[in-house]
Amino acid sequence: MFTRFTSMLHHAVEALAPNVSLQQEFMSHWKSVNQYFVDVIDHKMSVDQTPVPGHLKRMIQMLVREEAGGEAGVPGPCMEYLLKERILETLYTLARTDCPPGMKQLVLQLFIKLLSHVRQPLLPHIHVHRPVQRLVKMCGEVKASPAETDEIQFLLTLCSVVKQDPYLVNFFIEMPKPKTPDSSKSEMTNNDVIEICPRQSRFIIVDSLLSLMHSEDARVSVKACEGLMLISSLPEENAARHLLANTNFTSKLTSQLCSLYTALPKALYPADIEAVDAKWGLDIASSVDDRHSFPGKRSVISFLSWLDFCDQLIGVAHELVAKALALSIHERFLIALLEPAILQTSEVDAIMATAHLSRCLRLVSSPELITEFAFFILGHESEPEVFGVPSSHRLRQRLLERCDHISEEVCVATWKLFEMLLNKPNDHIVRNLVLRNLVSRGYTSSVSLPASAISSPTREHRPLSSPCSLPSTPLTADEPCKSEAAPSGFPLSGETESQSRVKPASFSPDPDDLVTPKDKVTDVSSADGEFVSSDALRSRSSGSGTSPPVFPEQLKRTESNKVELSYSNGGGEGDRVLEKSLKQEDEKDARFIGRYELLDIRQVVSIFLNILPKDAISSHHSADSGYDSYLRDAQHQFAVMSAWHRKFNWPQKPVSKQNSPDWPFYEGLFLQKLLDKLSTMLQQSYEVNLQVTCVASRLALVPHANIHEFLLNPQLPIRQGCRNLPTVLQKLASDIQARVRIIPDFQKKLLGVRHKLMGYSNNSIRRSDDSSSLLAGVIVFEEFCKELAAIAFVKHHAETLQR
């Protein structure tokens, strides 16, 4: 009753009292706050139960209203009174004592409102930045304190203010004070240099953020990381140097990463690690996560989330900070923890460590961290490799040796790692693995093959089952296709894959023996370098030998020298997409010679699509013969890859840096392993074949002229003793044609295996079944050739658009 009467009397007095100025009212509220602390001695009740919060809130409102009605940038009377009376320093003292209880949180909230609502620069004032500095030091001192939320919000507000005016960061760098030695204990004169206190400089706002980074409250920890990201991204070089020299910034972030990695459970499956999706700051559980739960998933998410934070911070940080943190992760995490785990002899642990490295590599996106990962895996070597000489970088050598490991799990895990490497936009990765060995172009023959010899039909061949077949006459809408084919532009070879390192196929005809496009070529080169007639080739293909006929070009030109397409019975909507695209390319001059040296893109696409014998093709029997999906995927992937590698300024045409004449060409250990695995697809499991072809197709997408002609130019004359991807595919197709004759009911079994792989049958492919494994390899080979054809077409199309 008495309290209500007092309140009514107070309001009556205010109503009858004369109007006072804004400054007088501001002073009155501050005097009321002081009077409360003078009158009350025992502060046991919470500050929320006192009149102090109301007075301070009204003071902030007056400051904001004064600034809104006054001249911009000029402090008003209330602000001048705030600075003159050192009100903020008094509030810091009250917050330090936290008396009454809750006063610390109240003062922090007051400073947050003051810094965020008042637009004029306050920090340059000494009576503002001095109490602010002291409040910053106070944040994070007490672990799990009730004021943690207000502390981190206060620090984030300061980081936002500093981000807008980066020069203000210098107010939070404490320099050591000079100390003059005592004259009674030293004989130094005035000309002597003043000694500097051994205490180093302090970056107080970073120290407080690092302390709150380890908070048990996940929200506080995430906000502390946001503050570190803001501070590290400042353009001030002085701040970056102090951040690295006078704080534990890099060591604490790397130590946290190492701690989370060592906390991972040992018993994990690589597939589980690959399926985990983790992003820093986003920790929302879903029903999908619950269905894919496994023991240790939370630990994996925590580790990957922290790595993602480090990667994002490196991506936005100052150049000095980014390089320092990336180097710290390289030394303290990759070399100290991951390398010993990968190099150990235990297959299970080595597979797990390789899977961890692949997942980490898949997550990182900052250029500095990608570079450190590349140096860690591949080393710094840039000179061409020499056959038989192992790499000086032990990890690279060991990983490449594991590419054909006897254990399929080790082999697949290693090839996945290299696939992730090729997915990263880094020039060193491509040069170290491939380019340093291909720039000499030692794989090409000295005699080039004219286009007339490549594009001319040489002999009759089997009817086409591919949708890229070409008829002798235009196809009408009401008439089915009856097509005939010509041989491919592949070099002929009858040697086995094991002999290719010594004497592979070559295609180096004498230019005098080549004919014009209007004439029919009757002689081509054999594997031994001799010329044989087309009749002899027919007899070889129809005989009982294992050497198949050359691959068809599927080209037949009309009198106007224009190429027309037809559909086989197995064609589909995707085939019409390919036909329409190829016709558009023909209108743009299909014989354009550009970066990728494709004399006739229609021939190249046809060669890859028709490389398999008719009996070994199964896609058109299962309504799966369209190429539209391959074209769409290749177009999207090549666009992304081109955007990544555009900054490297790679040459428009194949580079030819010839070595001495006696210098033998060596494709390098990576390409050697890749071609070896592709050549043995019929003896490998479905999983290995799938992973190896993924790596090969990813490499074929790289927009470099030397890589393109080595992988996607079947018309390239190959030097004797060398091989490239088309020659490997040729020999593999020869082996497949021989197997077609040996295995009974080959076509029926092939369709059965395709249905199993597509999920139409519940029966799985048994690894012990050699026939099923071989047929699965044939199917992978067919789809791989489709993908190569799509990539070659998309790259040529992109080149023509740039003309």
Side-chain angles (χ1 to χ4, degrees):
M1 184 70 181
F2 179 76
T3 304
R4 183 179 301 177
F5 175 76
T6 305
S7 177
M8 292 173 59
L9 181 64
H10 177 72
H11 286 297
V13 171
E14 286 185 348
L16 297 175
N19 292 333
V20 295
S21 64
L22 192 64
Q23 180 184 7
Q24 291 176 339
E25 185 178 358
F26 185 85
M27 295 170 58
S28 174
H29 282 290
W30 178 241
K31 289 179 181 179
S32 299
V33 172
N34 286 331
Q35 190 63 38
Y36 170 79
F37 285 99
V38 171
D39 296 341
V40 178
I41 300 177
D42 188 11
H43 302 284
K44 292 184 178 180
M45 67 176 63
S46 172
V47 69
D48 294 332
Q49 299 176 357
T50 67
V52 174
H55 291 298
L56 294 179
K57 181 179 179 180
R58 287 287 299 158
M59 291 173 65
I60 293 297
Q61 293 175 350
M62 292 177 187
L63 289 173
V64 174
R65 187 172 61 183
E66 181 186 68
E67 185 186 43
E71 186 177 354
V74 179
C78 295
M79 181 61 69
E80 289 181 348
Y81 180 81
L82 177 79
L83 299 176
K84 180 181 178 181
E85 296 297 326
R86 300 182 179 183
I87 293 178
L88 296 182
E89 295 187 15
T90 304
L91 290 176
Y92 160 73
T93 303
L94 295 174
R96 187 66 180 175
T97 59
D98 197 21
C99 185
M103 191 65 190
K104 178 180 178 181
Q105 296 169 267
L106 179 64
V107 171
L108 287 171
Q109 295 170 5
L110 176 69
F111 272 77
I112 291 172
K113 294 177 181 178
L114 183 66
L115 293 172
S116 57
H117 290 83
V118 177
R119 295 188 300 272
Q120 58 180 302
L122 294 178
L123 282 177
H125 295 283
I126 187 172
H127 298 307
V128 176
H129 72 251
R130 184 179 294 172
V132 168
Q133 287 175 346
R134 293 171 179 173
L135 273 178
V136 168
K137 294 179 184 178
M138 187 176 61
C139 294
E141 284 184 343
V142 181
K143 300 296 182 182
S145 70
E148 262 192 352
T149 303
D150 298 295
E151 289 176 356
I152 192 58
Q153 192 63 40
F154 168 66
L155 293 177
L156 275 181
T157 303
L158 281 178
C159 291
S160 300
V161 173
V162 171
K163 184 66 176 178
Q164 296 175 0
D165 297 307
Y167 74 94
L168 295 177
V169 72
N170 296 299
F171 289 113
F172 303 100
I173 301 175
E174 285 190 349
M175 304 299 294
K177 297 180 180 180
K179 180 180 179 180
T180 305
D182 191 355
S183 58
S184 61
K185 297 182 181 181
S186 175
E187 298 180 356
M188 294 179 61
T189 63
N190 294 333
N191 296 329
D192 293 328
V193 180
I194 298 178
E195 293 183 0
I196 301 298
C197 179
R199 183 176 62 87
Q200 292 183 345
S201 303
R202 289 186 59 194
F203 207 154
I204 56 176
I205 192 170
V206 174
D207 292 338
S208 297
L209 288 171
L210 289 174
S211 178
L212 290 173
M213 183 184 72
H214 299 287
S215 172
E216 296 296 331
D217 190 339
R219 294 169 297 180
V220 174
S221 178
V222 169
K223 289 184 177 181
C225 293
E226 292 176 356
L228 290 174
M229 193 174 293
L230 289 173
I231 294 298
S232 63
S233 63
L234 295 176
E236 293 286 324
E237 183 175 345
N238 180 53
R241 294 188 181 278
H242 278 283
L243 178 66
L244 298 176
N246 302 317
T247 68
N248 297 324
F249 176 77
T250 57
S251 62
K252 281 198 173 184
L253 265 61
T254 310
S255 298
Q256 178 73 0
L257 182 66
C258 296
S259 300
L260 293 173
Y261 176 76
T262 54
L264 294 178
K266 302 299 181 181
L268 289 176
Y269 291 100
D272 293 336
I273 300 175
E274 188 70 20
V276 170
D277 188 17
K279 289 291 183 181
W280 169 74
L282 183 62
D283 190 13
I284 302 176
S286 63
S287 58
V288 178
D289 294 332
D290 294 338
R291 289 197 301 268
H292 295 86
S293 180
F294 57 89
K297 183 175 181 179
R298 296 304 307 171
S299 299
V300 176
I301 292 177
S302 299
F303 166 71
L304 294 177
S305 299
W306 189 256
L307 179 62
D308 185 54
F309 162 67
C310 294
D311 178 66
Q312 292 188 32
L313 188 145
I314 292 173
V316 301
H318 189 277
E319 181 181 3
L320 297 177
V321 179
K323 290 182 178 179
L325 181 56
L327 184 61
S328 177
I329 292 176
H330 183 176
E331 295 175 349
R332 301 183 58 184
F333 170 61
L334 296 178
I335 295 180
L337 294 180
L338 267 182
E339 185 175 16
I342 296 174
L343 294 178
Q344 61 184 317
T345 57
S346 172
E347 289 187 4
V348 176
D349 295 338
I351 292 172
M352 188 58 56
T354 306
H356 287 152
L357 181 58
S358 299
R359 188 62 183 87
C360 293
L361 190 59
R362 170 185 156 192
L363 185 144
V364 299
S365 59
S366 59
E368 292 82 2
L369 196 54
I370 291 175
T371 299
E372 295 301 329
F373 268 84
F375 288 154
F376 166 69
I377 298 172
L378 304 176
H380 296 76
E381 297 174 343
S382 59
E383 295 298 323
E385 297 178 71
V386 180
F387 180 71
V389 178
S391 172
S392 60
H393 192 68
R394 184 176 58 168
L395 182 59
R396 180 185 189 272
Q397 184 70 23
R398 183 68 62 84
L399 288 173
L400 288 174
E401 290 173 354
R402 289 178 179 174
C403 286
D404 57 357
H405 198 274
I406 190 174
S407 170
E408 289 186 0
E409 290 78 6
V410 175
C411 183
V412 170
T414 307
W415 281 113
K416 281 185 179 179
L417 175 60
F418 283 108
E419 182 188 4
M420 293 301 169
L421 268 178
L422 293 174
N423 278 334
K424 297 302 174 182
N426 187 273
D427 181 61
H428 177 72
I429 294 174
V430 181
R431 291 192 179 278
N432 183 280
L433 288 176
V434 181
L435 281 184
R436 59 171 169 160
N437 306 302
L438 297 184
V439 290
S440 65
R441 296 193 75 196
Y443 48 86
T444 59
S445 176
S446 58
V447 179
S448 59
L449 185 65
S452 60
I454 297 173
S455 60
S456 301
T458 63
R459 62 181 176 85
E460 300 297 327
H461 197 65
R462 58 175 172 82
L464 296 180
S465 60
S466 170
C468 197
S469 56
L470 302 174
S472 57
T473 58
L475 181 66
T476 62
D478 301 329
E479 183 180 16
C481 171
K482 295 181 181 180
S483 58
E484 60 180 0
S488 162
F490 272 121
L492 297 180
S493 175
E495 297 164 2
T496 61
E497 186 62 25
S498 60
Q499 297 169 328
S500 62
R501 301 278 318 155
V502 181
K503 186 182 179 182
S506 61
F507 195 9
S508 305
D510 190 341
D512 296 334
D513 295 330
L514 300 175
V515 295
T516 61
K518 295 182 180 180
D519 299 327
K520 182 172 290 188
V521 177
T522 58
D523 297 326
V524 293
S525 175
S526 69
D528 299 327
E530 300 176 352
F531 283 86
V532 297
S533 64
S534 57
D535 295 334
L537 288 175
R538 292 191 193 97
S539 63
R540 289 185 185 181
S541 61
S542 60
S544 59
T546 59
S547 298
V550 292
F551 304 125
E553 291 172 321
Q554 314 304 348
L555 292 177
K556 193 173 182 67
R557 296 186 176 272
T558 61
E559 294 179 359
S560 61
N561 204 28
K562 293 294 182 180
V563 181
E564 301 177 8
L565 288 174
S566 66
Y567 298 104
S568 65
N569 295 331
E573 183 62 28
D575 310 329
R576 293 177 173 82
V577 174
L578 179 62
E579 181 220 14
K580 182 178 179 181
S581 302
L582 287 173
K583 283 186 176 180
Q584 293 174 355
E585 291 301 304
D586 190 58
E587 295 173 359
K588 295 179 180 179
D589 182 14
R591 302 182 64 80
F592 166 67
I593 300 177
R595 173 182 297 182
Y596 304 121
E597 297 292 338
L598 292 181
L599 300 178
D600 194 334
I601 185 57
R602 302 169 67 85
Q603 275 190 323
V604 173
V605 171
S606 182
I607 287 170
F608 282 118
L609 291 181
N610 297 280
I611 189 173
L612 273 175
K614 178 182 178 181
D615 295 336
I617 297 176
S618 59
S619 58
H620 59 278
H621 290 286
S622 57
D624 187 32
S625 60
Y627 301 96
D628 50 346
S629 60
Y630 285 102
L631 288 171
R632 286 195 301 266
D633 292 342
Q635 185 176 10
H636 170 71
Q637 294 172 3
F638 183 70
V640 174
M641 191 76 75
S642 298
W644 284 351
H645 296 85
R646 190 174 294 119
K647 60 184 178 181
F648 300 145
N649 297 321
W650 281 340
Q652 296 293 323
K653 293 187 177 181
V655 178
S656 181
K657 297 180 180 179
Q658 295 293 343
N659 295 316
S660 59
D662 297 333
W663 188 276
F665 172 74
Y666 177 48
E667 66 267 26
L669 189 56
F670 175 74
L671 281 177
Q672 177 189 349
K673 296 292 184 181
L674 181 62
L675 296 179
D676 287 345
K677 297 300 287 184
L678 290 173
S679 65
T680 57
M681 289 180 63
L682 303 182
Q683 292 82 40
Q684 296 168 171
S685 67
Y686 174 73
E687 292 78 10
V688 173
N689 287 334
L690 209 59
Q691 188 58 53
V692 172
T693 52
C694 284
V695 175
S697 60
R698 177 61 59 179
L699 185 61
L701 285 166
V702 176
H704 193 282
N706 291 66
I707 296 177
H708 177 87
E709 73 169 2
F710 188 82
L711 298 179
L712 295 177
N713 192 351
Q715 303 165 344
L716 186 71
I718 298 299
R719 180 181 176 184
Q720 186 172 3
C722 303
R723 62 175 177 173
N724 64 349
L725 180 58
T727 59
V728 171
L729 298 181
Q730 174 196 11
K731 295 169 185 176
L732 188 58
S734 304
D735 193 10
I736 292 174
Q737 183 162 354
R739 303 293 183 102
V740 171
R741 302 190 186 100
I742 298 174
I743 301 177
D745 298 329
F746 184 89
Q747 187 74 25
K748 182 179 179 181
K749 292 181 179 179
L750 189 65
L751 290 176
V753 172
R754 175 176 280 272
H755 289 162
K756 291 178 183 178
L757 294 177
M758 297 177 65
Y760 298 155
S761 176
N762 295 328
N763 297 328
S764 59
I765 298 177
R766 293 172 297 179
R767 295 189 178 184
S768 58
D769 190 349
D770 295 336
S771 177
S772 297
S773 180
L774 184 146
L775 296 175
V778 174
I779 295 172
V780 174
F781 179 77
E782 179 185 355
E783 299 301 318
F784 177 53
C785 291
K786 290 181 186 179
E787 189 172 11
L788 293 179
I791 293 172
F793 173 79
V794 167
K795 293 175 80 171
H796 178 84
H797 178 71
E799 184 69 21
T800 56
L801 293 178
Q802 296 176 3
R803 282 191 292 170

